[in-house]
């Protein structure tokens, strides 16, 4: 480190690292602490913060705090790179410690006086009493501050995990840096100008994510819900592998939700983002959204429609659940769950009864607005079957079931629990439903490259369902029922889920980079050729030799090299990295970026397709944020205020996760924005403590 004419503040400098180039040191006998050190002098004659201890060979850079730490370790502080002097005399150590304690007491008294003066100006008699509530000391020390924070959590019913949230820790750090004179803002500022400031900061931070929309494209997703006041709302999100950004929510009250109306609210978003940056629309299977997408696709022909894979697979599970044999399983499972949850005795028994592994598990209640929760609830019953059997065989059960008011219901419950044949069918039900559920869970996750995997996942699902029905179907199904299930799977895939982008994503997946798939799968090859001719026949490009050809021809040449592994696609590194893509250790876009250099047009197409979303489940998660903001206690919030709060709450997590990902790749992200979260925000991903998760909410995530 070079010397400076001004004091050098470097708290991370370790002892023994030298004196920052300073060769001349002088004494400071009049200073209470620095008299125990020699202080460095710069070339221009000014004092620096380089210190040499009189009592040991230690040399470091620092001010009074680090010097006192070296001599005394006063107040239990542990400063980085500063260690206790082993040879300092006891008299010198006591003098420095007394001096520092006196300075701290004076500083605390001065800050308290400033705070009391501000309180007198504000005229708020309640201020200043919290410190007295905890301690009679004239100064507010760390213990009193900790107790004040604990009171805030307890009195406001805040969950403890908020203390680990970086938003909370950042707010506390900012308060500490503001000093003792800091006064908290009024509620009007928090919900007004302060909220708008937070929104502006989040919008600025989203700029780097928005840059990926021009490079990789984005999927526009939308969904509708009804808020706590019964007002219909429509949200709009832009999704790709960089994250799901919440753009807008629209109050659709007093409007007919026709396809034309939905198209009218989506069209301004398309224009704002840029039609050239929109790759696809992704919505659920509502007929009005389907009509809106068709109207917009006629206006913007390059945009494709991608069905929400999560909703389609959930509908498939519902179709299977409506069959007579499955409905019988679900109805009896619902009865068992309702009976256990209704009576205190059964709940207490289940809480105290340990199952495999020595853990207690509760029955789960299906949530009507969640995906696949009926399957999870029935599966949990199979896990706690032993505990339910112990319940109905216990001595306490006899006394409980003998009561006249519940005798009949208890008898039905006992018969259901001891029905071995029903348990066999229920187990087969969970094994069968697990297959579409796992695919649905994969599409509902934030994993990258799902556009390149969804086709193969559905293809494997049909194979696994056939194997399952062939091996175990005869145990609980007849041939007609087995064929009906096969027909339901094919119907949902072919009629509701299949789309050209799924096929293109499959063909551009490096894990499928073989000549066999291009020649053997004629159906996918036909779809790929049609996609190229539809979107790229009208575009003309000039080759390096000056010849002008259709862009589709250039892409076909690149695909030929890709499938036959010629050029950069056939290098040993590309083939080795392909195995990493298969294992999920490398994302597809990175593979194309590194190994598609010979064909930049094809690489750009692959990146735009493989980064798109296959599910609109992010809209459902956005509604979960909305529910956390617009609660029953805050039901008077207007639509615009809710929109701003949700914008900050949802997009802050998108920004935070994106910056963490970029830092993990070695990208210098600078200062990550830490805008404060809106009042009343609850962390969505925090898991419930054991014994408190008997209501099934986010099990599918």
């Amino acid at each position: 480190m070079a010397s400076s004419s001004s004091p050098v503040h470097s708290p991370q400098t370790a002892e023994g690292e030298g004196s920052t180039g300073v060769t001349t040191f002088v004494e400071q006998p009049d200073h209470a602490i620095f008299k125990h050190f020699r202080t460095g002098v710069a070339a221009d004659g000014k004092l620096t913060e380089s210190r040499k201890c009189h009592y040991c060979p230690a040399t470091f850079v620092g001010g009074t705090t680090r010097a006192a730490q070296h001599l005394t370790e006063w107040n239990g502080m542990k400063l980085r790179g500063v260690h206790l002097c082993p040879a300092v005399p006891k008299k010198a150590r006591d003098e420095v410690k007394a001096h520092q304690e006196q300075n701290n007491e004076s500083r605390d008294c001065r800050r308290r006086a400033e705070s009391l003066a501000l309180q007198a100006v504000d005229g708020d008699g309640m201020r200043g009493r919290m410190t007295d509530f905890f301690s009679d000391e004239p100064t507010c020390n760390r213990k009193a501050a900790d107790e004040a924070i604990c009171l805030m959590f307890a009195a406001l019913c805040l969950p403890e995990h908020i203390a680990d949230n970086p938003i909370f820790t950042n707010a506390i750090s900012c308060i500490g840096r503001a000093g003792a004179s800091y006064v908290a803002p009024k509620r009007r500022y928090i919900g007004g100008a302060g909220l708008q400031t937070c929104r502006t900061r989040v919008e600025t931070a989203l700029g780097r994510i928005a840059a990926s929309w021009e490079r990789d494209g984005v999927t526009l997703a939308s969904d509708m819900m009804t808020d706590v006041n019964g007002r219909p709302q429509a949200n709009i999100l832009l999704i790709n592998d960089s994250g799901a950004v919440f753009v807008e929510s629209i109050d659709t009250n007093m409007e007919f939700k026709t396809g034309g109306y939905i198209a009218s609210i989506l069209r301004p978003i398309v224009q704002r983002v840029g039609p050239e940056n929109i790759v696809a629309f992704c919505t659920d299977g509502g007929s009005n959204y389907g009509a809106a997408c068709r109207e917009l696709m006629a206006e913007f022909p390059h945009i494709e429609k991608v069905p929400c894979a999560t909703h389609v697979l959930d509908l498939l599970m519902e179709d299977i659940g409506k069959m007579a044999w499955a409905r019988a399983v679900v109805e009896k499972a619902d009865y068992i769950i309702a009976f256990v949850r209704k009576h205190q005795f059964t709940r207490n028994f289940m809480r105290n009864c340990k199952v495999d592994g020595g853990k207690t598990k509760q029955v789960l209640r299906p949530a009507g607005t969640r995906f696949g929760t009926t399957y999870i609830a029935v599966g949990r019953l199979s896990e706690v079957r032993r505990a339910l059997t112990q319940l109905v065989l216990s001595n306490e059960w006899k006394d409980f079931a003998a009561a006249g008011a519940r005798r009949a219901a208890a008898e039905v419950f006992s018969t259901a629990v001891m029905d071995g044949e029903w348990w066999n069918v229920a187990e087969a039900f969970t094994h069968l439903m697990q297959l579409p559920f796992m695919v649905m869970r994969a599409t509902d996750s934030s994993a990258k490259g799902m556009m390149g995997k969804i086709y193969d996942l559905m293809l494997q699902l049909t194979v696994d369902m056939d194997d399952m029905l062939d091996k175990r179907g005869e145990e609980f199904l007849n041939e007609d029922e087995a064929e009906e299930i096969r027909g339901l799977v094919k119907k949902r895939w072919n009629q509701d889920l299949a789309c050209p982008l799924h096929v293109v994503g499959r063909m551009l997946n490096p894990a499928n980079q073989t000549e066999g798939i291009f020649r053997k799968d004629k159906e996918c090859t036909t779809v790929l050729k049609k996609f190229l001719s539809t979107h790229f026949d009208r575009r003309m490009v000039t080759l390096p030799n000056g010849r002008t050809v259709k862009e589709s021809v250039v892409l076909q040449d690149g695909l030929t090299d890709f499938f036959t592994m010629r050029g950069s696609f056939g290098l040993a590194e590309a083939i080795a990295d392909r195995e990493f893509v298969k294992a999920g250790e490398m994302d597809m876009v990175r593979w194309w970026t590194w190994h598609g250099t010979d064909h930049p047009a094809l690489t750009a197409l692959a990146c735009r397709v493989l980064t798109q979303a296959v599910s609109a489940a992010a809209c459902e998660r956005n509604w979960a944020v909305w529910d956390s903001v617009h609660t029953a206690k805050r039901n008077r919030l207007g639509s615009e205020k809710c929109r701003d709060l949700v914008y900050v709450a949802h997009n802050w997590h998108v920004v935070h996760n994106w910056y963490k990902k970029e830092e993990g790749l070695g990208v210098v992200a600078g200062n990550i924005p830490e805008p404060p979260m809106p009042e009343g925000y609850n962390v969505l991903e925090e898991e419930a403590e054991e014994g408190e998760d008997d209501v099934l909410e986010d099990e599918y995530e």
Side-chain angles (χ1 to χ4, degrees):
M1 294 183 293
S3 63
S4 173
S5 59
S6 59
V8 179
H9 296 279
S10 180
Q12 297 178 353
T13 302
E15 294 178 11
E17 291 184 348
S19 57
T20 69
V22 175
T23 58
T24 304
F25 290 82
V26 297
E27 301 287 346
Q28 289 185 276
D30 297 331
H31 197 283
I33 295 179
F34 294 158
K35 68 181 181 181
H36 302 284
F37 299 84
R38 284 174 292 170
T39 303
V41 180
D44 58 359
K46 294 185 178 180
L47 295 178
T48 68
E49 287 194 349
S50 299
R51 316 288 179 195
K52 278 189 177 182
C53 181
H54 283 332
Y55 313 111
C56 71
T59 302
F60 62 95
V61 176
T64 57
T65 301
R66 294 174 65 81
Q69 167 73 6
H70 174 68
L71 296 175
T72 67
E73 284 193 349
W74 65 278
N75 202 24
M77 294 181 63
K78 298 292 183 182
L79 297 182
R80 192 176 182 183
V82 179
H83 307 285
L84 180 64
C85 178
V88 60
K90 184 178 185 300
K91 180 179 179 181
R93 180 185 294 115
D94 293 339
E95 288 178 357
V96 172
K97 186 174 182 180
H99 178 269
Q100 289 297 103
E101 290 177 349
Q102 182 180 2
N103 280 354
N104 286 347
E105 183 176 357
S106 300
R107 182 174 64 252
D108 290 337
C109 290
R110 183 173 65 254
R111 289 179 176 177
R112 182 171 176 82
E114 293 174 354
S115 178
L116 291 175
L118 289 173
Q119 294 168 17
V121 172
D122 291 341
D124 189 348
M126 291 300 295
R127 297 193 178 187
R129 295 185 179 179
M130 280 301 180
T131 303
D132 299 333
F133 178 84
F134 293 109
S135 174
D136 293 333
E137 299 179 3
T139 60
C140 183
N141 54 24
R142 176 172 295 184
K143 181 180 178 181
D146 291 343
E147 291 176 349
I149 293 176
C150 292
L151 176 65
M152 178 188 71
F153 274 77
L156 300 181
C157 303
L158 301 177
E160 292 83 358
H161 62 72
I162 291 180
D164 298 328
N165 195 299
I167 307 168
F168 175 80
T169 56
N170 178 69
I172 295 297
S173 299
C174 291
I175 293 173
R177 291 193 295 269
S181 61
Y182 174 78
V183 179
K186 302 292 185 179
R187 56 180 293 183
R188 183 171 297 178
Y189 173 81
I190 294 176
L195 176 59
Q196 295 305 317
T197 301
C198 293
R199 175 168 180 138
T200 302
R201 290 183 60 185
V202 173
E203 288 177 348
T204 303
L206 286 173
R208 295 182 65 182
I209 298 179
S212 69
W213 301 345
E214 300 180 4
R215 181 183 68 251
D216 300 332
V218 70
T219 298
L220 189 150
S222 180
D223 191 23
M224 285 193 176
M225 61 89 72
T226 303
D227 65 17
V228 69
N229 287 335
R231 296 176 303 197
Q233 305 283 341
N235 65 356
I236 303 172
L237 282 79
L238 296 174
I239 312 172
N240 64 7
D241 280 353
S242 296
V245 177
F246 171 64
V247 179
E248 189 66 83
S249 66
I250 299 173
D251 188 345
T252 61
N253 193 28
M254 303 299 294
E255 298 286 352
F256 291 103
K257 285 70 174 177
T258 61
Y261 172 73
I262 295 177
S264 68
I265 64 177
L266 296 181
R267 187 176 291 104
I269 305 300
V270 176
Q271 298 289 358
R272 187 197 313 177
V273 178
E276 67 281 359
N277 298 326
I278 305 293
V279 177
F281 298 118
C282 186
T283 65
D284 58 20
S287 59
N288 52 355
Y289 269 107
C293 290
R294 288 190 295 271
E295 180 177 337
L296 292 174
M297 289 166 63
E299 186 176 349
F300 308 104
H302 67 282
I303 302 179
E304 292 282 342
K305 172 69 167 66
V306 176
C308 176
T310 307
H311 283 86
V312 172
L313 289 165
D314 183 62
L315 292 175
L316 171 61
M317 298 179 70
E318 289 183 8
D319 292 340
I320 298 176
K322 292 176 182 178
M323 299 178 65
W325 68 273
R327 188 166 60 249
V329 172
V330 174
E331 289 176 353
K332 186 169 288 190
D334 288 342
Y335 183 86
I336 294 174
I337 294 171
F339 187 91
V340 172
R341 291 178 53 83
K342 181 178 180 180
H343 301 286
Q344 183 177 356
F345 165 72
T346 54
R347 292 198 304 270
N348 292 338
F349 188 92
M350 295 299 294
R351 290 192 185 102
N352 298 324
C353 185
K354 296 182 179 180
V355 294
D356 295 338
K359 295 182 179 180
T360 60
K361 289 187 177 181
Q362 304 298 314
V363 296
L364 297 175
R365 180 180 61 187
T369 58
R370 300 294 180 180
F371 300 123
T373 54
T374 299
Y375 150 75
I376 299 177
V378 176
R380 176 59 66 87
L381 279 184
S382 299
E383 296 177 12
V384 300
R385 178 183 178 182
R386 181 179 299 179
L388 293 172
T389 303
Q390 294 177 10
L391 169 64
V392 299
L393 295 179
S394 63
N395 294 329
E396 295 86 350
W397 171 261
K398 296 178 181 179
D399 298 334
F400 170 79
R406 53 175 171 262
R407 181 178 302 172
E411 173 123 13
V412 175
F413 174 82
S414 178
T415 303
V417 171
M418 301 303 293
D419 187 354
E421 183 178 354
W422 178 84
W423 283 108
N424 293 335
V425 178
E427 182 181 0
F429 172 83
T430 56
H431 288 165
L432 179 66
M433 300 293 275
Q434 182 182 14
L435 301 176
F437 177 81
M438 296 307 295
V439 179
M440 181 181 68
R441 188 170 184 177
T443 62
D444 192 26
S445 67
S446 58
K448 292 184 176 182
M450 282 308 302
M451 187 62 75
K453 303 175 183 178
I454 181 63
Y455 189 96
D456 290 317
L457 288 175
M458 290 300 300
L459 191 63
Q460 187 63 40
L461 174 62
T462 59
V463 175
D464 293 341
M465 293 286 278
D466 286 339
D467 292 343
M468 175 69 179
L469 294 174
D470 291 339
K471 293 178 180 179
R472 299 197 57 184
E474 58 184 13
E475 299 177 10
F476 56 96
L477 298 174
N478 55 44
E479 293 185 6
D480 293 338
E481 291 173 334
E483 287 301 320
E484 184 179 357
I485 293 177
R486 292 188 178 96
L488 291 173
V489 175
K490 293 180 181 178
K491 176 185 175 182
R492 287 298 180 185
W493 185 16
N494 296 329
Q495 297 184 10
D496 298 335
L497 186 57
C499 72
L501 278 183
H502 291 171
V503 177
V504 177
R506 183 202 187 197
M507 303 298 280
L508 294 175
N509 185 348
N512 298 329
Q513 186 197 13
T514 59
E515 187 176 0
I517 189 175
F518 184 72
R519 293 187 175 180
K520 294 177 181 179
D521 199 331
K522 300 297 183 181
E523 182 179 354
C524 289
T525 303
T526 302
V527 174
L528 177 60
K529 291 180 179 178
K530 184 178 179 181
F531 177 84
L532 294 179
S533 62
T534 301
H535 293 281
F536 300 100
D537 270 356
R538 298 180 180 179
R539 300 182 185 180
M540 306 300 293
V541 295
T542 302
L543 300 179
N545 58 12
R547 189 164 60 97
T548 302
V549 297
K550 297 179 181 179
E551 189 174 2
S552 60
V553 175
V554 177
L555 294 174
Q556 289 174 5
D557 292 341
L559 285 170
T560 301
D561 289 350
F562 172 69
F563 288 119
T564 57
M565 291 182 288
R566 291 187 304 196
S568 61
F569 298 126
L571 297 177
E573 294 83 358
I575 297 175
D577 287 345
R578 184 182 65 192
E579 300 303 319
F580 289 111
V581 174
K582 287 183 179 180
E585 300 175 3
M586 183 178 188
D587 65 78
M588 304 174 193
V589 173
R590 183 179 295 184
W591 187 94
W592 276 97
T593 303
W594 287 359
H595 305 299
T597 53
D598 288 353
H599 299 279
L602 181 60
T603 299
L605 173 63
C607 293
R608 287 183 71 86
V609 172
L610 295 174
T611 55
Q612 301 313 306
V614 300
S615 171
C619 295
E620 302 289 345
R621 291 190 175 88
N622 180 257
W623 292 134
V625 181
W626 189 285
D627 291 339
S628 298
V629 170
H630 196 197
T631 62
K633 291 185 178 180
R634 306 179 71 190
N635 62 78
R636 297 186 65 184
L637 285 175
S639 297
E640 294 184 1
K641 180 71 170 292
C642 286
R643 179 193 61 208
D644 292 338
L645 291 171
V646 172
Y647 186 93
V648 175
H650 179 99
N651 289 335
W652 185 90
H653 284 283
V654 175
V655 171
H656 188 68
N657 294 334
W658 187 85
Y659 271 96
K660 287 197 302 183
K661 179 193 70 174
E662 292 299 306
E663 284 190 334
L665 295 177
V667 177
V668 179
N671 294 325
I672 299 178
E674 298 282 357
M677 301 302 289
E679 179 186 355
Y681 176 74
N682 295 322
V683 177
L684 302 177
E685 298 181 280
E686 188 69 23
E687 296 181 357
E689 296 182 2
E690 183 177 358
E692 298 179 355
D693 60 342
D694 53 348
V695 178
L696 184 60
E697 291 293 343
D698 288 316
E699 288 286 342
Y700 68 97
E701 295 183 352

